[in-house]
Amino acid sequence: IIGLGNYEHRIAIPVRDEIGTLAIAFNEMTAKIQGSDKLKNDYMVAYNRFVPQEFLKFLKKDSILDIRLGDQVQTEMTVLFSDIRSFTNLSETMTPKENFDFLNSYLERVGPVIRKHNGFIDKYIGDAIMALFPYEPEDSIRACVEMHKVIQIYNVKRIGHGYKPIKIGVGIHTGNLMLGTIGENQRMDGTVIADAVNLASRIEGLTKIYGASTIISERTFFGLSDPDRYHYRLLDNVQVKGKKEVISIFEILDGISEDILEKYINTKAEFEMGIFAYQSKDFKQSLENFKSVLIKNPSDVAAQKYIDRCKQAIEFGISESWDGVERLSSK
């Protein structure tokens, strides 16, 4: 029984002779083995909090004990970056302890959502989260939509306690990446390295520029089995800082409050007509489209950006090499 791993089994001690003394020693040994086994399991559970089990799975390792420096695998995943809007300003109003309490309160709400939709958190970067979705791009969209909804519920509690509501921005991109271990023998870490990771981070940064809750790349968008199950709109063609590639970006509208969502839905056609006119160099028509959008939805930051661009083009003209791509010099 003990050989099969049943360390709770004990030998009955009928008499206090030599056999009984041996039985007592045997029982004590079994108790120590049981305690040692429990301690080992507790350690493994603790390690899994720092190294996601999914990380070990993709490296084809049974446990953290099998990890070696330089272990790596190449695979395609969807990368999600999120961060809290104006966190620096918010953190300056709090003590260090309040900062930690706030971040942990926020993360304990969004972390389970990511796992629920088949993702796992690769790392925390201050208030930012980097998560990986190894199966379908769809999982990342479902996760980010629910994250926004969870934040709305969280904000009700924050407001009730006299705190300001928060918003998050989410950037998503799908691509090939290397997942493995880096560092040196005394200190190593699991990480992912790829252009896809950098691009996902850049896309998250675009949410601030366009006033969007969620922006995804064309690679993620066209990887969705049915994009029409979501509310979305084409946002722009961009070349982010440090990248030569031009990509189309899409805004996912689901997850924002219903009253605001309705305004975006009602102006989607006109917004995308404005983009078509802009790309066709018909700046006057594009300007009229985006002015109409802004009248119906004054909170549309992207529409205002296009209005500014059209006015600039009408007043100063465009170069012969103009191709409608927004080239961004900041992250």
Side-chain angles (χ1 to χ4, degrees), residues 168-187:
I168 62 171
V170 179
I172 299 174
H173 176 59
T174 303
N176 288 313
L177 50 81
M178 293 296 298
L179 181 148
T181 56
I182 62 170
E184 40 87 19
N185 286 326
Q186 296 303 312
R187 175 67 173 93

Side-chain angles (χ1 to χ4, degrees), residues 17-37:
D17 57 8
E18 291 84 351
I19 300 300
T21 302
L22 183 61
I24 292 171
F26 184 86
N27 286 341
E28 290 176 350
M29 178 191 71
T30 304
K32 289 180 181 179
I33 293 174
Q34 181 182 3
S36 177
D37 189 62

Side-chain angles (χ1 to χ4, degrees), residues 75-118:
T75 186
E76 181 175 284
M77 292 189 185
T78 298
V79 185
L80 178 152
F81 272 90
S82 72
D83 77 353
I84 300 171
R85 290 286 166 266
S86 304
F87 176 72
T88 300
N89 294 335
L90 181 64
S91 66
E92 287 175 349
T93 66
M94 297 185 288
T95 66
K97 182 181 183 308
E98 288 171 336
N99 266 292
F100 270 89
D101 290 345
F102 162 66
L103 282 176
N104 287 331
S105 178
Y106 158 69
L107 293 171
E108 73 180 7
R109 286 168 168 80
V110 297
V113 172
I114 290 170
R115 290 189 293 275
K116 172 184 174 182
H117 295 285
N118 303 315

Side-chain angles (χ1 to χ4, degrees), residues 2-21:
I2 301 298
L4 295 176
N6 183 5
Y7 300 124
E8 295 181 359
H9 182 75
R10 297 292 183 269
I11 296 175
I13 306 172
V15 293
R16 296 287 176 172
D17 57 8
E18 291 84 351
I19 300 300
T21 302

Side-chain angles (χ1 to χ4, degrees), residues 218-265:
E218 59 185 40
R219 180 80 177 271
T220 299
F221 179 81
F222 291 114
L224 300 177
S225 59
D226 182 13
D228 289 332
R229 73 176 59 179
Y230 305 101
H231 294 105
Y232 68 88
R233 63 180 185 177
L234 175 64
L235 200 55
D236 208 349
N237 296 321
V238 301
Q239 183 183 38
V240 299
K241 183 179 179 181
K243 305 297 176 186
K244 294 181 180 180
E245 180 185 8
V246 174
I247 63 168
S248 297
I249 54 174
F250 295 80
E251 181 178 7
I252 298 295
L253 302 170
D254 298 277
I256 61 179
S257 61
E258 292 297 325
D259 55 333
I260 299 176
L261 174 61
E262 186 176 359
K263 293 178 181 179
Y264 279 96
I265 293 172

Side-chain angles (χ1 to χ4, degrees), residues 65-228:
L65 301 175
D66 300 320
I67 291 289
R68 297 293 181 267
L69 185 63
D71 287 338
Q72 59 187 269
V73 64
Q74 182 174 344
T75 186
E76 181 175 284
M77 292 189 185
T78 298
V79 185
L80 178 152
F81 272 90
S82 72
D83 77 353
I84 300 171
R85 290 286 166 266
S86 304
F87 176 72
T88 300
N89 294 335
L90 181 64
S91 66
E92 287 175 349
T93 66
M94 297 185 288
T95 66
K97 182 181 183 308
E98 288 171 336
N99 266 292
F100 270 89
D101 290 345
F102 162 66
L103 282 176
N104 287 331
S105 178
Y106 158 69
L107 293 171
E108 73 180 7
R109 286 168 168 80
V110 297
V113 172
I114 290 170
R115 290 189 293 275
K116 172 184 174 182
H117 295 285
N118 303 315
F120 64 95
I121 295 171
D122 177 72
K123 58 176 60 70
Y124 301 111
I125 313 166
D127 63 303
I129 296 173
M130 175 181 164
L132 302 174
F133 293 82
Y135 304 114
E136 299 178 354
E138 201 99 22
D139 292 332
S140 67
I141 307 301
R142 295 191 189 103
C144 83
V145 170
E146 187 171 344
M147 285 168 68
H148 288 301
K149 291 180 178 179
V150 164
I151 294 302
Q152 290 181 36
I153 296 171
Y154 180 42
N155 280 335
V156 173
K157 181 177 180 180
R158 285 183 59 81
I159 293 170
H161 286 85
Y163 299 119
K164 292 182 179 180
I166 63 170
K167 291 183 178 180
I168 62 171
V170 179
I172 299 174
H173 176 59
T174 303
N176 288 313
L177 50 81
M178 293 296 298
L179 181 148
T181 56
I182 62 170
E184 40 87 19
N185 286 326
Q186 296 303 312
R187 175 67 173 93
M188 67 178 72
D189 197 5
T191 191
V192 290
I193 301 174
D195 182 67
V197 175
N198 297 329
L199 188 50
S201 176
R202 295 286 192 270
I203 291 172
E204 187 279 318
L206 296 182
T207 61
K208 305 182 185 84
I209 296 174
Y210 290 89
S213 296
T214 303
I215 296 179
I216 68 174
S217 70
E218 59 185 40
R219 180 80 177 271
T220 299
F221 179 81
F222 291 114
L224 300 177
S225 59
D226 182 13
D228 289 332

